[in-house]
Amino acid sequence: MCRRLECAFAALVWLSSHVAAIAFDAAAVAGSTFQPGVANDVVAAFKVPSRWCNSDSGCQLHVYLPSGFLAEDEICGSAFTNSWTVDGRVLDSAKFPFLAGDELMLDYLSSCSVEYNSNKKQEMLRLELPKGMLTDKMYVFQFTVINPEQTPEVNVWRFDTFDMSVIGGAIHKQEDIPGFEVSRSTRGFNASISGPAWVIKDEVTVAVSFRLPTACPSLWSGASIWGHPSCLMRVHLPSGLCAPKWSFYYWEQFDTFYNLCVNPAYNLSDHHGSNGTHPLQGNDTCLPNGTIVKPLQERATGPCWYELAINGTLLAGESYAFTVQLTEPNKVPKEDDWRVTFEERPGDFRSFDYLSYRQDVPGYKVIVTTTSTTTTTMMMEHAQIVGSTFHPFAENTVCGVFSLPTPLDKGSENELRIFLPTGLAPATSPWACGFWPWANQMMFPFLTEFNSNFLMSLPPGSECKIGYDEATDRNYMRIMLDGGLEGGMNYAFEFKVINPSVPPGTNSSMNFSWPANNTWDFFTLDRGFMRHFYKLVPGFDIDMSELTTTTTSTTVDLSVAFTKTVVVPTNQEVGALNHVCIAFQLPSAICTSVYGCELMFFLPEGYVPENDHCGRAFQRGLQEPKAADPAMFPFLTGSEVPLDYRTTCKAMFDEEAQLSYIKLELPAVELTTSDIYAFQFTVKNREALPAKTTPWVFESYERTVEDDGAEKKLVASKVHSQNHGGFDLYTQPPSNEDFIYSAIAGAEEVSAGEMTVAVTFELREQCGQLDWGGSSVWGTTVCFMRLLMPPGLCAPSWATSGQSSKFTLHSRCGNFKLFPFPLLRGNEACLTGTTTVTAKDDGKGLCWFEIVLPRDAQLASEQRYAFQVQVNAQALVPSHQNYWTFHTLENNMTTGSYKEYIPGFTVDPPATTTSTTTDFVNVTLLASTLEPLAQNHICATFSVPSQDGVLRDPEIRVYMPRGFLHLGSACGFLREVDINLFNASMMVPNETNAELYNATEVFYPSCTGSTSEVQLPNFTECTEMYDKSTNQFYISLTQPGNLTTLTSDVTYAFQFGVINPRLKPDLMDWRFEAYVDGSAHNVQDPVPGFWVNSWSENCECIYQGRKLPAELQNMHSKLPHIAVYGTSCAAWDQMPGTPNAEHCSPDEDRDWANETHNWCQLPWCYVSSSCRTKLEAKGPMKSSVFEGSSLDLYYSYATCGAVPDCYNSF
C-alpha cells in the first residue's frame, strides 16, 4: 500500500512540476562584455501572461545563473545597486543601447539578494518585488556577475516567479533562456587582399577574401526580445586608394563598382598575388544577394572605406570573397606599407560591440612611372578585326592586326588584352582561344595589302587565356606576350570565337539587328593592370538572313515525358545549403536548331537557389563543362555526359506559381536520346518540413524563330515535361545505426614490422543492392566500407607506393587457423571475390582502408562476415586511442550508413625498441561529487615505483577524458588535500571495483584522513594544456624555480578541480604521466575514472526522429499511430491509436492512483539494450507490447525525466 501511495504521489508531483507552471511570454538576458573572468553588467527582461503579485505579501523572481557565473556581491552587484532612483530601478542605456525605451523598470522598493541552490549547484538571484506587477508588460532590470573563464557547457538561464501568498510551486517558469557567450576568440579570423587587375579606364579591381571563426550575425542572447542583430563589414582602404568618384553619387543606382562574387577570369592572384592570411581559394562563396555596398570617405581628401551591410548570415569557417573597384593615386604615396582593416559589428546597434573582428592585411604596392613620360594611355596606330565565317553560332577563325606607335619593352610582363563584343565567346577547341601567333594569308587575303616587310607575327612563345568581365558582361582574351613589340610594325595573329545565335539581351522576342556596340577593345597591359596602348576596333556583322527560313523540325508535344529523371541531394536537413545532382535522359533530341535550347527545373515550395547563378556547385570555373562532381556524388559511373561549357544558369522566380526555378540556356549542341546527362547546382532547403510535398518539375524547350511579316521573334516551345518526387527533409540528421556484432584482432608479424589483422562483423540491415532515389539511372546502391585505424597504425608503405610485395593487402576471408575461436567461429562468410580494398591516408597520420563491393553484390543482414588486411605494426598504440572505426555507407554517402567503434588489440613495439617508462604505483582518483555539470574537487594519489628510487624536478601530467573541463587557470590545485570533502560514504570510482575495494577509507587513505597524506613538495603552478597528438586536455603540475625530489617510499596526494560533463565520454580512462627533462619517465594508463550520476540515465531514445521498424508496425497495423509509438519521450499509453490507449483512456473515470492505471500518464521511450542504470526499479524493462518480435526491444522511464517505474513496481 505504501509503495502504491508513493507511486501515486510521485506521479502527481511529476505532473504538477511539469504542468502547473506557466511559461513566460518572453524572457532574455544580455551581457555588456564577453571578456572572461571580469565583472559584467547584465540586463534581464521578462513578460508574464497571467496575473501574479497581487497580494500584500508581494512576490519573488528567482534568476538561476548558469554554472560558472557568480554574482559580484551578495546584493546582486554594482549595476543593481546603482540602478536605484526614487522613480524606480533605471537601466544604463549607454551600456544597453538596444533597449526599445518602452520597457517598464522595477519598483524602487525592489530588492535583490544572492543564494546558492545546493540542489541545482547554481547561484540564484532572489528579487523581492512589491505588489502590483502587471501582465503583458515587459520588465527590465540590471545586475552584475563575474564571467567564468569560458562559456559553460550548458549555457541557459532560468526564471521562476512566486506569489508569496500562495503555497506551492512556481507560477511562471522558463528553463531554457539562452545565455551569452564568454571569451569569444578572434583566432580563426583570416583575411587577404588579392590583385589588382585592371578593368576599365583608370580603375583597378581588388578582391577581398576572408573566413570568420563564428557566424555573423551570431545567435545573440537578447534576440528573442530586441530582435536579431545585423552584420556590418568595413574595408578601410590605404592612403591614396579610394572608390571611383562617380560611385559616391550613384551607389544606390549602379552596382558596377563592386561584385559580390570573384570572377575567376580576373586572375587576381596572378598579378601581385594575395597578401594576408586567407588567400583566394578559387571556389570562394559569394556574399549573400541583397548585401548593400556603400563607398564612404572622411572629408573630401580623407581616408576612404567600403561599408557592407550583409543581407543574411555569413557562416563560420566558410571562405568568402568579393571584389571592389578602386582608383589609384598618380604618385607614390608617402606610406609604402598598405594595409586593410576589417571590422564586423551588428548594424542595428553599432555602439554595442557584440561581435568584433579586426585584422590588418598587407595590400599591394602601387607602381607609378616616375620618369618624364606620363602614364596617359596612347592610341594604337592601327587595329583591325576580320572574321572568316558569319553564320550564327558557328566557330569563327578571326584575324587580328595592329601596330604600335612606339616600342613595347620586352623586359616587362606585357599582355595584349582583347575584349569581344557582347554575345561572342572565345573558343576552347583545339586549344585555349584557338590562338596562333601568326595569320594565314590564304584564309585572310586582305593581309596581302600589307607590305610583307612590315607584317610580323607575335612572339612565338606567347600564350592565350580566356577571361570574362562581369561588370561589362563581356568575354576577353589575355595574350601573354613572350617578348617585346616594335613600333611601326603590323602584327597579325589568329584566334577563334563562337558567333552568337541571336543578339544578346532578349528573351522571348527580338528584332534581328546586330548590337549597336559592335566594337572590339584592343589594349596592352604591363603586369596585368597598367595600360600602355589602346584602340576601339569596329567588328564584323553576323548574317542573320537564314533565320527567316528556320522552322521547328518536329511537332511540339506537351505531354512527352522525360525518359529518366533523378534528383540526388547531399544534405537533407531543413534550412541547410544542399548541393543537388540532376540527371536526366530524353525521349527525343533537343538543341537541334542553331538557336540552342532551354532547360528549366522548378524547385518544390520553399526551396531557393543559393544565388543568381545557381550556387557554388554549378560555378565550376571558366570554360569548364557543367558536370556533376564524383567527389561530391561518388555513385557516378563516369559515363554521364556533362552540359556544354557555354551553358548558363540563372535563378528565376515564377510569380504565378510562387516557386523558384533555375533556367539553363544551352548552345546548339544536340542533346541525344542515348545519353544520361548530369550536372549539379546548390539550393537552400526550406526552413521547415512541408505540410504537403510538391514535386520537382523538369521541362525542356526548343528555341525557334517565328516571322509574322512585321518582325522576327525567338520563341521557346516546350518539348518535354516531367514531375519528380524529390527527396525528404529532416529536422535532425539520422543517427548512425550500430552493428549487431563486431570484433578485431591482430596476429603475429608476417614480415618485419607488418602484421595481419582480422575483422569480423554482422549488420542489422543489408548493405548494397538497395533501391534509392537514383535507381532509375544508376541501379541499386553500391556498398562502401571504411576501416579507420587508430593513430599510429597504417597500411604497409608498399600498399600506397605501388611497390611489389609477396604479401597481398587483404584477404576476403578470415583464416580460422590464424584467428581461432573466440574471434572466428569458422562459418563466417567471405567478402565477394571482386571486392576492392584500397589503402588511404590524409598525410597527417590518419589512415584507413576503403572497401568497395561490386555493384551486383551485397552484405546480407544478420550474416557474420570476416576478412583480413595488412597493417604496419611499427607503432605502439596507447590504450585510450586503441579504437578502430568501421563504417558502411550506401553509395559512399552518409544516408543509410552504419558506424561501429571496435576496441583494438595490443601492438607490441619492435624487438629493437625498449620502453623507457615505468608504471606509477597506487594511482587513484576520488571525486567529491558525482553530480553532472558540478564543480568537482578530485583527490589524486600516486607513488613512485621502487626501481626508480627518486624523480628529480618532474612535471606531473593528468590527462582527462574528453568532456571534463578544468576549474579556471589555476586548475583548482591544492598541494594539501581538504579531507572534509572526501569521506567514507563516497562511492567507489567504478562499480566494477566494488568487490575489490569495499570501503573508501581503505582504498583512499590519503584522501580521507585515515593516514597522514604527503603533499607534493614545491609544486606551485597548475596549467591546463592540450595535447594535439592525443586530442586531449591535461593539467600540468610544475615547480618553477624550485628543486623537487619525489621518493619511492611514500604515497603522494594532491587535489585539483574539474567540471563534470553531462554526457558520458566515449572513453572514460584517465592517464598519469611524469616527465623528467622533457621525456616521459612514468606512465599509468589507464587509470579508472568515476561514474557521474546522470550517465546511467543518459540513454537516448533509439527511434528519435524516425519510425518504428516495419516488423513492429505490422504487429499492430490497424492502430493509426503505431509507427511513432515510443519513439520519443511522451505519455504514449494515453495517446489514441496506440496499444494501451483503451486501457488508459482519459475519457473514462479512472483512479490514476491505483496500481492498474498509475503508469498511464508517465512519459517513456524505447531504448537500446545497452542503456545503463544503477537502480533496477528505474531501469529499462523488456517490452511486452511487441511480444514475439525478433527484435530485442526495451523501454525506459528513467530516460524521460527520472519518473518512477510504476508499471513494474508498486
Side-chain angles (χ1 to χ4, degrees):
M1 182 63 184
C2 293
R3 185 60 176 158
R4 185 178 306 167
L5 291 175
E6 179 186 344
C7 279
F9 179 75
L12 291 174
V13 169
W14 186 89
L15 288 171
S16 64
S17 63
H18 287 71
V19 176
I22 303 172
F24 283 66
D25 275 347
V29 293
S32 59
T33 181
F34 307 94
Q35 297 301 313
V38 301
N40 182 9
D41 292 343
V42 179
V43 61
F46 66 93
K47 181 169 68 172
V48 295
S50 59
R51 295 180 62 83
W52 68 301
C53 210
N54 296 314
S55 71
D56 294 336
S57 302
C59 53
Q60 291 183 359
L61 170 67
H62 295 182
V63 178
Y64 290 91
L65 280 58
S67 178
F69 283 92
L70 302 174
E72 184 183 36
D73 55 35
E74 295 180 353
I75 52 175
C76 304
S78 55
F80 188 83
T81 302
N82 297 334
S83 68
W84 186 90
T85 69
V86 293
D87 296 320
R89 296 253 175 207
V90 299
L91 268 71
D92 186 347
S93 59
K95 286 188 176 179
F96 310 110
F98 48 81
L99 295 172
D102 56 356
E103 302 92 347
L104 298 182
M105 54 187 166
L106 299 183
D107 191 275
Y108 76 97
L109 294 175
S110 303
S111 64
C112 184
S113 60
V114 178
E115 297 180 6
Y116 181 73
N117 189 305
S118 58
N119 293 327
K120 296 182 174 61
K121 309 297 183 184
Q122 291 174 289
E123 284 202 350
M124 181 193 76
L125 309 184
R126 181 191 297 271
L127 282 88
E128 302 282 350
L129 307 175
K131 175 183 178 181
M133 301 293 289
L134 302 176
T135 59
D136 298 325
K137 297 294 183 182
M138 186 69 67
Y139 285 92
V140 291
F141 61 97
Q142 64 185 33
F143 54 93
T144 306
V145 300
I146 304 298
N147 287 344
E149 291 297 323
Q150 60 187 12
T151 304
E153 183 178 354
V154 179
N155 188 22
V156 292
W157 297 60
R158 172 178 166 179
F159 288 9
D160 290 351
T161 66
F162 297 86
D163 191 322
M164 302 312 295
S165 65
V166 179
I167 300 176
I171 297 176
H172 306 101
K173 180 179 294 186
Q174 194 73 29
E175 298 180 308
D176 54 354
I177 303 170
F180 45 83
E181 294 187 46
V182 174
S183 185
R184 169 172 289 161
S185 172
T186 60
R187 290 180 298 177
F189 172 55
N190 298 299
S192 287
I193 297 298
S194 303
W198 184 87
V199 175
I200 192 169
K201 296 182 179 179
D202 296 322
E203 298 168 10
V204 297
T205 293
V206 173
V208 181
S209 52
F210 64 94
R211 177 183 285 124
L212 296 172
T214 57
C216 179
S218 57
L219 298 176
W220 181 46
S221 60
S224 63
I225 291 180
W226 295 290
H228 292 280
S230 60
C231 186
L232 182 77
M233 182 176 184
R234 292 179 183 146
V235 181
H236 295 262
L237 307 178
S239 173
L241 285 184
C242 202
K245 289 294 183 185
W246 60 267
S247 66
F248 288 90
Y249 306 102
Y250 301 108
W251 67 271
E252 292 182 286
Q253 291 83 10
F254 301 100
D255 59 2
T256 55
F257 63 92
Y258 69 90
N259 197 313
L260 299 180
C261 304
V262 171
N263 185 350
Y266 287 154
N267 295 291
L268 286 155
S269 57
D270 286 354
H271 302 302
H272 289 293
S274 293
N275 295 318
T277 56
H278 184 66
L280 288 171
Q281 308 295 297
N283 59 346
D284 307 86
T285 301
C286 306
L287 295 183
N289 288 334
T291 293
I292 298 175
V293 183
K294 183 178 180 180
L296 296 168
Q297 185 175 19
E298 184 180 328
R299 303 182 305 277
T301 59
C304 300
W305 69 93
Y306 275 104
E307 186 171 277
L308 293 85
I310 305 298
N311 180 38
T313 301
L314 300 179
L315 304 178
E318 187 80 10
S319 177
Y320 291 93
F322 62 97
T323 59
V324 291
Q325 301 284 102
L326 305 175
T327 55
E328 294 188 323
N330 56 13
K331 61 180 180 179
V332 177
K334 294 181 181 179
E335 296 182 7
D336 194 26
D337 188 14
W338 297 73
R339 292 187 178 275
V340 176
T341 301
F342 298 88
E343 296 178 358
E344 191 176 80
R345 292 180 181 178
D348 293 343
F349 330 123
R350 295 185 186 175
S351 62
F352 182 56
D353 189 4
Y354 176 61
L355 172 65
S356 180
Y357 296 111
R358 181 185 179 94
Q359 186 173 110
D360 291 340
V361 183
Y364 62 91
K365 183 176 180 180
V366 174
I367 303 174
V368 180
T369 303
T370 56
T371 63
S372 58
T373 304
T374 66
T375 59
T376 303
T377 303
M378 301 175 65
M379 294 294 292
M380 293 182 179
E381 285 190 339
H382 169 76
Q384 187 175 355
I385 285 290
V386 178
S388 61
T389 183
F390 310 102
H391 297 292
F393 233 126
E395 186 173 84
N396 187 359
T397 300
V398 178
C399 176
V401 182
F402 70 95
S403 63
L404 304 179
T406 58
L408 190 64
D409 183 11
K410 65 180 180 181
S412 300
E413 300 173 10
N414 296 317
E415 67 179 71
L416 172 65
R417 190 169 295 189
I418 304 172
F419 272 73
L420 282 60
T422 304
L424 269 73
T428 57
S429 175
W431 50 83
C433 316
F435 169 73
W436 201 248
W438 52 80
N440 185 341
Q441 293 191 19
M442 297 292 292
M443 180 179 292
F444 300 102
F446 81 95
L447 294 174
T448 58
E449 300 173 8
F450 295 90
N451 186 323
S452 60
N453 293 329
F454 297 95
L455 188 64
M456 303 181 65
S457 67
L458 295 178
S462 302
E463 296 180 352
C464 183
K465 292 184 179 180
I466 298 171
Y468 170 71
D469 179 25
E470 288 194 15
T472 59
D473 190 28
R474 297 174 69 182
N475 295 296
Y476 64 86
M477 299 182 302
R478 300 176 58 215
I479 301 175
M480 274 66 71
L481 300 172
D482 186 26
L485 301 178
E486 298 293 335
M489 293 292 193
N490 289 294
Y491 289 90
F493 57 97
E494 291 180 10
F495 56 93
K496 293 186 178 183
V497 298
I498 304 296
N499 291 341
S501 60
V502 292
T506 58
N507 192 3
S508 60
S509 65
M510 62 185 67
N511 186 298
F512 287 109
S513 60
W514 188 250
N517 187 25
N518 182 16
T519 56
W520 300 61
D521 292 16
F522 273 54
F523 49 84
T524 59
L525 294 174
D526 176 12
R527 289 179 297 275
F529 69 96
M530 184 178 293
R531 187 168 57 171
H532 291 131
F533 303 101
Y534 181 72
K535 188 75 171 181
L536 293 177
V537 183
F540 48 81
D541 290 329
I542 301 297
D543 183 7
M544 299 294 180
S545 61
E546 65 180 71
L547 295 179
T548 59
T549 61
T550 302
T551 58
T552 304
S553 59
T554 60
T555 302
V556 176
D557 182 1
L558 299 181
S559 65
V560 176
F562 283 69
T563 303
K564 295 178 180 179
T565 56
V566 169
V567 180
V568 181
T570 57
N571 192 333
Q572 295 174 243
E573 191 169 357
V574 295
L577 282 180
N578 184 7
H579 305 309
V580 177
C581 174
I582 292 284
F584 61 89
Q585 186 179 20
L586 300 168
S588 59
I590 59 171
C591 278
T592 56
S593 78
V594 295
Y595 314 108
C597 62
E598 299 175 4
L599 291 172
M600 295 186 188
F601 300 92
F602 285 80
L603 281 56
E605 182 182 359
Y607 292 79
V608 293
E610 183 190 16
N611 56 36
D612 289 343
H613 306 289
C614 305
R616 69 194 72 179
F618 187 81
Q619 299 166 350
R620 292 183 51 78
L622 196 67
Q623 306 299 323
E624 293 290 338
K626 308 309 178 185
D629 186 359
M632 195 178 295
F633 303 100
F635 51 81
L636 297 171
T637 62
S639 62
E640 301 82 6
V641 178
L643 303 181
D644 189 272
Y645 75 92
R646 291 164 289 182
T647 301
T648 61
C649 186
K650 298 178 182 178
M652 314 287 283
F653 186 77
D654 188 322
E655 293 287 350
E656 181 178 352
Q658 290 293 297
L659 294 175
S660 297
Y661 66 97
I662 64 170
K663 178 181 178 181
L664 280 73
E665 297 181 350
L666 290 81
V669 178
E670 182 179 351
L671 301 185
T672 69
T673 60
S674 59
D675 290 320
I676 297 291
Y677 295 91
F679 71 99
Q680 63 190 31
F681 63 100
T682 305
V683 301
K684 184 179 181 183
N685 293 340
R686 56 178 293 130
E687 294 294 340
L689 296 178
K692 63 176 182 178
T693 302
T694 53
W696 294 65
V697 181
F698 289 49
E699 295 180 351
S700 73
Y701 292 80
E702 190 75 81
R703 281 178 166 178
T704 57
V705 169
E706 291 182 353
D707 185 0
D708 60 5
E711 65 174 350
K712 301 170 185 177
K713 297 181 179 180
L714 179 71
V715 297
S717 302
K718 186 186 293 186
V719 182
H720 310 108
S721 180
Q722 178 76 45
N723 288 0
H724 187 279
F727 49 86
D728 294 329
L729 296 179
Y730 50 70
T731 55
Q732 292 182 347
S735 58
N736 289 310
E737 297 284 355
D738 55 0
F739 291 17
I740 294 177
Y741 173 80
S742 63
I744 196 166
E748 67 274 3
E749 290 186 338
V750 293
S751 71
E754 292 180 22
M755 67 185 308
T756 302
V757 174
V759 182
T760 178
F761 64 95
E762 184 176 344
L763 298 178
R764 296 184 185 277
E765 300 288 344
Q766 172 183 322
C767 182
Q769 289 196 302
L770 297 174
D771 289 328
W772 65 296
S775 292
S776 63
V777 172
W778 294 288
T780 55
T781 59
V782 175
C783 181
F784 285 73
M785 293 180 281
R786 293 180 195 155
L787 183 62
L788 184 66
M789 291 175 268
L793 295 187
C794 275
S797 58
W798 53 262
T800 54
S801 64
Q803 300 174 1
S804 60
S805 173
K806 63 181 180 180
F807 302 108
T808 58
L809 181 62
H810 77 285
S811 172
R812 62 187 184 88
C813 302
N815 187 330
F816 183 71
K817 293 183 179 179
L818 192 60
F819 298 97
F821 186 84
L823 182 70
L824 299 182
R825 300 179 298 188
N827 61 348
E828 289 81 5
C830 302
L831 301 181
T832 304
T834 54
T835 297
T836 61
V837 178
T838 307
K840 296 194 173 185
D841 68 85
D842 64 352
K844 302 177 182 179
L846 190 64
C847 302
W848 68 94
F849 290 102
E850 186 168 275
I851 307 160
V852 184
L853 268 65
R855 188 171 291 274
D856 59 352
Q858 63 171 267
L859 297 176
S861 62
E862 300 182 5
Q863 167 67 56
R864 189 75 59 91
Y865 290 89
F867 65 94
Q868 297 173 187
V869 291
Q870 299 297 118
V871 301
N872 189 324
Q874 294 287 349
L876 179 64
V877 181
S879 63
H880 67 283
Q881 292 182 305
N882 195 7
Y883 279 79
W884 298 59
T885 304
F886 196 24
H887 205 166
T888 65
L889 306 101
E890 301 291 346
N891 282 340
N892 207 16
M893 301 182 75
T894 54
T895 303
S897 63
Y898 286 74
K899 195 171 187 178
E900 185 83 351
Y901 296 98
I902 311 174
F905 49 85
T906 302
V907 177
D908 294 327
T912 55
T913 304
T914 58
S915 174
T916 59
T917 64
T918 56
D919 290 343
F920 282 106
V921 180
N922 300 330
V923 179
T924 62
L925 291 173
L926 179 62
S928 61
T929 178
L930 302 178
E931 293 301 316
L933 303 178
Q935 296 184 5
N936 187 3
H937 301 283
I938 296 178
C939 173
T941 69
F942 70 93
S943 299
V944 177
S946 58
Q947 62 266 34
D948 289 350
V950 296
L951 294 182
R952 299 188 183 278
D953 299 327
E955 173 198 3
I956 305 298
R957 296 183 182 181
V958 181
Y959 284 77
M960 299 178 284
R962 295 175 190 173
F964 283 89
L965 301 175
H966 73 116
L967 286 179
S969 58
C971 319
F973 171 66
L974 292 175
R975 291 165 52 203
E976 183 176 356
V977 176
D978 182 359
I979 61 174
N980 295 320
L981 294 174
F982 308 99
N983 55 62
S985 63
M986 290 300 300
M987 297 177 63
V988 294
N990 191 321
E991 61 184 13
T992 58
N993 297 327
E995 295 181 0
L996 184 61
Y997 308 111
N998 53 19
T1000 305
E1001 62 267 30
V1002 175
F1003 189 43
Y1004 304 103
S1006 299
C1007 296
T1008 59
S1010 299
T1011 62
S1012 58
E1013 69 275 7
V1014 177
Q1015 303 177 23
L1016 282 178
N1018 298 329
F1019 281 80
T1020 58
E1021 288 191 4
C1022 180
T1023 309
E1024 186 190 49
M1025 309 289 285
Y1026 182 71
D1027 189 335
K1028 291 183 178 180
S1029 63
T1030 63
N1031 195 26
Q1032 274 184 292
F1033 287 97
Y1034 66 91
I1035 62 171
S1036 170
L1037 306 177
T1038 55
Q1039 60 291 338
N1042 299 309
L1043 297 179
T1044 301
T1045 298
L1046 301 181
T1047 62
S1048 59
D1049 55 351
V1050 296
T1051 296
Y1052 295 95
F1054 63 95
Q1055 182 177 314
F1056 64 95
V1058 298
I1059 304 279
N1060 290 340
R1062 180 172 59 88
L1063 301 179
K1064 175 181 173 293
D1066 291 336
L1067 301 175
M1068 290 180 53
D1069 293 334
W1070 298 62
R1071 187 166 90 254
F1072 272 53
E1073 294 184 358
Y1075 276 70
V1076 177
D1077 296 329
S1079 300
H1081 192 277
N1082 302 90
V1083 176
Q1084 186 70 23
D1085 182 15
V1087 177
F1090 45 86
W1091 197 274
V1092 175
N1093 288 339
S1094 64
W1095 295 350
S1096 60
E1097 297 172 2
N1098 184 36
C1099 305
E1100 297 180 354
C1101 300
I1102 57 173
Y1103 297 114
Q1104 183 79 39
R1106 297 182 293 144
K1107 296 180 180 179
L1108 292 179
E1111 176 188 344
L1112 302 181
Q1113 295 185 44
N1114 293 336
M1115 298 178 72
H1116 297 278
S1117 58
K1118 294 182 179 180
L1119 297 178
H1121 297 138
I1122 190 61
V1124 295
Y1125 182 66
T1127 56
S1128 60
C1129 285
W1132 290 103
D1133 296 313
Q1134 278 197 323
M1135 180 179 291
T1138 59
N1140 291 320
E1142 184 176 350
H1143 179 81
C1144 293
S1145 172
D1147 298 333
E1148 303 292 336
D1149 185 15
R1150 308 291 190 190
D1151 180 5
W1152 302 114
N1154 188 278
E1155 64 186 46
T1156 59
H1157 293 90
N1158 58 9
W1159 46 272
C1160 289
Q1161 296 178 315
L1162 301 183
W1164 59 273
C1165 72
Y1166 285 114
V1167 296
S1168 69
S1169 59
S1170 61
C1171 179
R1172 153 169 211 157
T1173 185
K1174 291 182 188 242
L1175 299 175
E1176 186 176 358
K1178 291 185 179 180
M1181 301 301 168
K1182 190 151 187 180
S1183 175
S1184 60
V1185 172
F1186 297 106
E1187 191 170 358
S1189 167
S1190 62
L1191 299 177
D1192 190 19
L1193 197 64
Y1194 294 83
Y1195 66 92
S1196 174
Y1197 290 110
T1199 299
C1200 298
V1203 296
D1205 172 23
C1206 294
Y1207 184 79
N1208 297 284
S1209 302
F1210 300 97

